[in-house]
Amino acid sequence: MLNHITIMGRLTRNPELRYTQSQTPVATFTLAVDRDFGGRDGGEKQTDFIDCVAWRQTAEFVSKYFQKGSLAVITGRLQIRDWTDNNGGKRRSAEVVVENAYFGESKRRDGAETRGEARPAYNGSSYGSYDSVSPSMGASAFSDMGDDDGELPF
């Protein structure tokens, strides 16, 4: 079976970081994700608001480096939860359990933002990869390369 989801969107509010009774960090946030197509008549694009939940180091990373309006690329799995509301009604909700969180744009040194560029961030594993930024490394782990394609290092 396969349950894998990748979404890119903007945070609708700052992540909310809480801790379980056993002091496990958990962050919740919502991404506004535009659909790739407009209406049938070519009208306005539609936006989905997708709830996300991150655990442990990923939760701490998201709450530290992402804020309302940040463009984020999230990978994880879709989870459906059944619950009962205050009136005893049965409810069902869907959320993405975040495995990896990536920056969707970079911030230039002068404060201006570059849009649409997915940059690696924290991949949720203790092993990571060569292009991952651990929470302790911060944003300075990325270096800007020039706009020329002159000499690539490979």
Side-chain angles (χ1 to χ4, degrees):
M1 302 295 161
L2 179 65
N3 181 353
H4 187 80
I5 185 168
T6 302
I7 56 175
M8 182 170 81
R10 294 201 178 273
L11 274 74
T12 62
R13 57 183 166 80
N14 290 335
E16 182 180 331
L17 180 65
R18 293 177 292 167
Y19 293 86
T20 64
Q21 289 180 350
S22 62
Q23 297 304 307
T24 302
V26 57
T28 57
F29 56 96
T30 302
L31 284 185
V33 179
D34 289 336
R35 294 185 186 175
D36 285 340
F37 57 89
R40 290 185 178 172
D41 58 354
E44 292 184 33
K45 283 191 172 186
Q46 294 179 337
T47 302
D48 294 307
F49 295 90
I50 302 174
D51 293 328
C52 301
V53 60
W55 294 86
R56 297 175 184 78
Q57 293 94 344
T58 306
E60 292 173 332
F61 178 80
V62 166
S63 69
K64 183 174 182 179
Y65 292 105
F66 291 88
Q67 61 190 11
K68 179 180 179 180
S70 296
L71 185 63
V73 179
I74 301 299
T75 63
R77 63 183 168 81
L78 185 63
Q79 176 174 283
I80 308 298
R81 289 188 304 120
D82 293 319
W83 52 283
T84 305
D85 65 16
N86 293 338
N87 298 327
K90 301 282 184 182
R91 300 288 184 170
R92 177 174 270 197
S93 60
E95 63 190 6
V96 174
V97 178
V98 178
E99 294 171 2
N100 303 309
Y102 301 91
F103 295 111
E105 59 196 352
S106 66
K107 295 202 181 241
R108 297 275 184 197
R109 288 188 188 107
D110 62 3
E113 294 182 353
T114 302
R115 301 209 180 274
E117 181 182 337
R119 303 288 302 263
Y122 184 66
N123 70 2
S125 84
S126 58
Y127 299 106
S129 63
Y130 72 93
D131 60 358
S132 295
V133 174
S134 71
S136 63
M137 293 171 70
S140 64
F142 293 115
S143 61
D144 288 331
M145 296 181 70
D147 291 334
D148 63 335
D149 292 332
E151 296 181 32
L152 297 176
F154 48 87

